[in-house]
């Protein structure tokens, strides 16, 4: 059962995150330390105040008992008058047991407030004191014998209301100090965790930048912190190795594609020659030529896309020029499909700074993907986002499963059940072109059914 409780508590603390856990730990440490200090302070101060109060009241009671002991039997003054003549203590009441009778300094003084045990001890000849509660008020009862056993006894009842109020004020002060210390500890934890985790924020941003395709991202060196310097150096080495590997792959794909262009051109010319003699060929040969021509067109497109990808990954700095994105989309879409383009009000003035050819290729690839794999492009819409321009390409297909919405932008990725011919590189190219422009492309469900590919690019208003 203890193990179950352990696993039930700590997962909630782990869910706070590292910064939250550091803050909570600082707050708990501050709370524990302040609580211990408050308890120690309370114990010391309350004990001191009570001891001082008891000593004061005992001295006053002994002084009063001596006065009565000297005066009783040696003066004609009555016992009540003797009690009234005693030095007055704030709020104190006097009781005298003398001659088997009780005398009181006021009508409020009641012998029944004196505990029986205390009374017996004092009447037996020994001084005593005891804290009791009379109604809702705490009092201190001090008893002093007037002589030998049976000679009588003097009792003083001192109120402790003022001391009780002091205790409450002290506890409130210590509790407030503990709460303030806990809050200060939490704030200190938040500040320390923010400062300590600041390098991790830079590492996170750099990792996200590399994941977005900006392989030239590096961490600055941390010369003043050996641990962070080692981390930055290891990260930069890993990023450099990854960049070299990607560039090598891109060069390899480009070299292969380039080497294929010559034999590809030869084969295309041969197919074109066969096409000119298509009518004189036997039916079986005509079918073979048709299949060969279709596959050669696909082979040509694949080679072109591979060359394009190798250029994109080899050069992540596109040409920069102002591009009115609404006009670019209107001009590009009809060349791929006969779909109308809607440009919302406000988006007409949006300008993207980037490579016009690459942006045209993004729009063309998305529309072509909708035509080939989405049962036709339904609509293309350009609208204004929060400091960005949005391009939505809607299709009439079955949509893209959630688990495929990231993978579909990888090279040669296909949705299960899609048997339409294609190179499998169109969406990968679009994603890379958008990434080098500082944007993002994603796929989501279209209202009413189908898929919606959304491109978001940083824009400036003219």
């Amino acid at each position: 059962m203890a193990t179950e409780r352990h696993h039930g508590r700590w997962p909630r603390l782990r869910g706070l995150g590292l910064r939250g856990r550091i803050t909570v730990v600082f707050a708990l440490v501050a709370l524990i330390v302040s609580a211990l200090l408050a308890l120690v302070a309370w114990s010391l101060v309350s004990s001191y105040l009570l001891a001082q109060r008891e000593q004061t009241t005992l001295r006053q009671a002994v002084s009063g008992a001596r006065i009565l002991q000297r005066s009783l039997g040696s003066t004609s003054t009555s016992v009540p008058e003797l009690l009234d003549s005693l030095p007055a203590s704030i709020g104190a009441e006097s009781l005298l047991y003398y001659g088997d009778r009780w005398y009181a300094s006021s009508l409020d003084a009641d012998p029944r407030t004196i505990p029986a045990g205390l009374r017996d001890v004092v009447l037996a000849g020994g001084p005593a004191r005891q804290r009791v509660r009379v109604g809702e008020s705490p009092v201190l009862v001090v008893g002093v014998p007037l002589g030998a056993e049976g000679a009588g006894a003097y009792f003083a009842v001192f109120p402790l209301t003022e001391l009780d109020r002091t205790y409450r004020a002290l506890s409130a002060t210590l509790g407030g100090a503990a709460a303030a210390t806990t809050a200060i500890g939490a704030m200190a934890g938040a500040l320390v965790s923010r400062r300590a985790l600041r390098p991790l924020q830079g590492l996170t941003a750099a990792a996200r930048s590399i994941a977005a395709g900006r392989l030239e991202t590096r961490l600055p060196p941390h010369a003043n912190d050996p641990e962070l310097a080692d981390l930055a150096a290891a990260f930069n080495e890993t990023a450099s190795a990854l960049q070299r590997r990607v560039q090598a792959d891109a060069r390899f794909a480009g070299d292969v594609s380039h080497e294929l262009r010559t034999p590809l051109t030869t084969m295309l010319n041969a197919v074109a020659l066969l096409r000119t003699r298509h009518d004189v060929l036997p039916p079986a040969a005509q079918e073979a030529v048709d299949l060969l021509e279709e596959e050669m067109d696909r082979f040509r497109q694949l080679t072109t896309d591979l060359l394009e990808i190798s250029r994109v990954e080899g050069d992540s700095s596109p040409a920069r020029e102002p591009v009115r994105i609404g006009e670019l989309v209107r001009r590009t879409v009809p060349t791929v499909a006969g779909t109308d383009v809607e440009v919302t009000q406000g988006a007409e003035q949006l300008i993207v700074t980037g490579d016009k050819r690459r942006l045209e290729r993004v729009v063309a690839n998305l529309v072509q993907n909708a035509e080939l794999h989405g049962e036709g492009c339904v609509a293309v819409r350009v609208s204004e986002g929060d400091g960005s321009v949005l391009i939505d390409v809607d299709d009439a297909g079955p949509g893209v499963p959630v688990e495929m919405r990231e993978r579909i932008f990888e090279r040669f990725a296909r949705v299960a059940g899609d048997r339409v011919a294609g190179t499998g590189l169109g969406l990968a190219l679009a994603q890379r072109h958008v990434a080098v422009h500082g944007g993002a492309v994603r796929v989501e469900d279209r209202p009413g059914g189908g898929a919606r590919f959304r491109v978001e690019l940083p824009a400036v208003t003219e």
Side-chain angles (χ1 to χ4, degrees), residues 24 78 122 147 149 189 219 231 269-270 332 335 341 368 414 461:
V24 169
S78 64
V122 176
E149 182 179 356
L219 286 176
L231 176 63
N269 291 334
T332 304
T335 63
V341 177
Q368 187 176 30
R414 293 182 182 274
T461 303

Side-chain angles (χ1 to χ4, degrees), residues 7 12 23 191 222 262 366 411 427 452:
H7 288 298
R12 289 195 292 270
T23 302
L191 291 175
H222 294 270
T262 300
L366 293 179
R411 301 177 190 177
L427 292 180
R452 168 173 292 173

Side-chain angles (χ1 to χ4, degrees), residues 166-208:
T166 302
Y167 282 169
R168 287 197 295 269
L170 177 63
S171 61
T173 301
L174 292 176
T181 303
T182 303
I184 293 173
M187 290 187 291
L191 291 175
V192 170
S193 63
R194 181 179 302 175
R195 183 175 181 84
L197 297 179
R198 189 174 298 164
L200 293 183
Q201 295 176 353
L203 176 62
T204 302
R208 287 176 177 169

